Amino acid sequence: MDKEYKIPKHVGIIMDGNGRWATKKGLKRSAGHAAGYKTLKKLAVHILNRGVKYLSVYAFSTENFKRDAEEVNYLMDLFVNKFREDKNFFMKKNIKVIFSGLKEPLRNDVWESMQEISEMTKNNDGGIFNILLNYGGQNELVEATKKIVNDVITDKINIEELNTENFYHYLFQDLPPIDLMIRTSGEVRVSNFMLYQIAYAEMYFPKVYFPDFNEKEFDKALDVYNKRDRRFGGIKK
Ligand code: FPP
């Protein structure tokens, strides 16, 4: 890789198309989610090995609770099983696992498995893997607003001190802005994904379903990112 090759600091992925991937193969939608996790595990290691410092992935939106109970339960069981099974894997890879989202109405076992893996990996420094679970971007902004109001009325901050930089402290996780947002499956929508953090993100919408979004596909996304001209509202010198 040449010296000029740019590696985004923070990558966000909307992992879309698990259901369609499975249906196309004549399988149940749940098989698509299982395949999606297999892809995700390899991809997370690859992406952080490429030098990306933060990876945020959309595993379950608050709106996903509207799906059939069978699918919701399958996903919740998958979360519990994989967080428990793969704690040691992420320890070995030196990856810190964190979460963004609300506690309610998650099942206790799901919440506990999230606490366990984040507690176990909290001192790892080989990259941050942020999993969005029971997450919504608008919710995140509403929750941030509540925290700010609380800090103002308890005199922790002066309202005039609030700015676009320190606003990040009030989000579910205090992470840098997203540089590259990827949504698989060909859908071209943001779907409530990290609304504050994607303000200047480059966006990439590959047509592959998430289970097929492998390491090679991610490297293609990096190449596309490298051809983009990021100006952040300014003009090119
Ligand atoms: C969207 O595709 C995908 C989801 C709602 C679930 C994503 C979850 C995973 C990849 C597994 C993550 C697991 C862990 C343990 C973090 P869809 O099902 O809406 O696909 P469709 O649009 O084709 O129906």
Side-chain angles (χ1 to χ4, degrees):
M1 240 178 259
D2 75 68
K3 266 202 246 142
E4 299 295 302
Y5 200 78
K6 292 182 296 251
I7 298 294
K9 190 168 180 186
H10 189 175
V11 170
I13 307 183
I14 303 179
M15 308 183 287
D16 198 9
N18 291 346
R20 278 165 285 166
W21 179 90
T23 308
K24 210 174 119 193
K25 288 185 161 0
L27 303 170
K28 284 177 75 172
R29 291 178 56 81
S30 52
H33 296 314
Y37 180 68
K38 240 173 124 180
T39 294
L40 176 61
K41 191 171 155 184
K42 284 192 265 178
L43 200 59
V45 173
H46 175 75
I47 292 177
L48 298 171
N49 275 342
R50 278 270 180 260
V52 170
K53 301 275 183 255
Y54 304 87
L55 170 66
S56 292
V57 299
Y58 211 170
F60 195 88
S61 73
T62 305
E63 292 71 32
N64 288 149
F65 274 112
K66 291 186 216 146
R67 296 188 178 199
D68 287 352
E70 188 189 336
E71 185 169 347
V72 172
N73 283 331
Y74 180 87
L75 276 164
M76 293 300 147
D77 290 344
L78 184 74
F79 296 144
V80 176
N81 294 335
K82 296 304 173 189
F83 296 149
R84 296 214 158 124
E85 234 171 77
D86 285 338
K87 277 192 304 229
N88 291 321
F89 173 83
F90 289 105
M91 276 311 285
K92 244 188 261 154
K93 299 289 179 192
N94 193 24
I95 293 171
K96 177 171 174 174
V97 181
I98 61 174
F99 293 92
S100 293
L102 293 167
K103 183 169 192 285
E104 294 304 328
L106 289 174
R107 283 174 3 200
N108 276 342
D109 58 340
V110 176
W111 187 251
E112 278 162 21
S113 68
M114 292 160 68
Q115 302 306 305
E116 282 162 24
I117 192 167
S118 40
E119 178 60 29
M120 186 171 191
T121 60
K122 71 178 181 199
N123 295 319
N124 290 348
D125 58 8
I128 293 189
F129 182 26
N130 177 35
I131 301 174
L132 277 57
L133 207 166
N134 190 22
Y135 173 90
Q138 291 181 331
N139 269 341
E140 182 171 37
L141 295 174
V142 170
E143 291 304 311
T145 308
K146 290 186 200 166
K147 290 181 212 161
I148 291 164
V149 171
N150 198 50
D151 275 7
V152 170
I153 59 182
T154 55
D155 278 335
K156 287 207 185 81
I157 58 154
N158 181 325
I159 193 79
E160 294 307 326
E161 287 165 28
L162 189 67
N163 58 40
T164 55
E165 295 302 316
N166 60 23
F167 190 84
Y168 282 94
H169 305 328
Y170 292 95
L171 299 173
F172 286 131
Q173 295 287 354
D174 187 0
L175 305 177
I178 297 213
D179 301 297
L180 171 64
M181 188 200 101
I182 301 169
R183 181 179 189 143
T184 56
S185 91
E187 304 288 347
V188 185
R189 274 194 297 278
V190 166
S191 299
N192 215 4
F193 178 77
M194 300 186 93
L195 299 178
Y196 193 77
Q197 300 90 331
I198 62 169
Y200 283 99
E202 290 298 327
M203 301 203 174
Y204 178 65
F205 300 97
K207 293 220 158 51
V208 290
Y209 295 141
F210 184 70
D212 293 329
F213 191 76
N214 56 19
E215 292 94 321
K216 229 171 122 189
E217 290 291 338
F218 177 75
D219 289 346
K220 278 196 227 165
L222 274 188
D223 286 344
V224 171
Y225 177 77
N226 269 271
K227 292 194 184 92
R228 300 272 176 91
D229 173 24
R230 299 188 82 196
R231 294 194 296 271
F232 300 94
I235 34 178
K236 202 176 180 185
K237 298 249 162 58

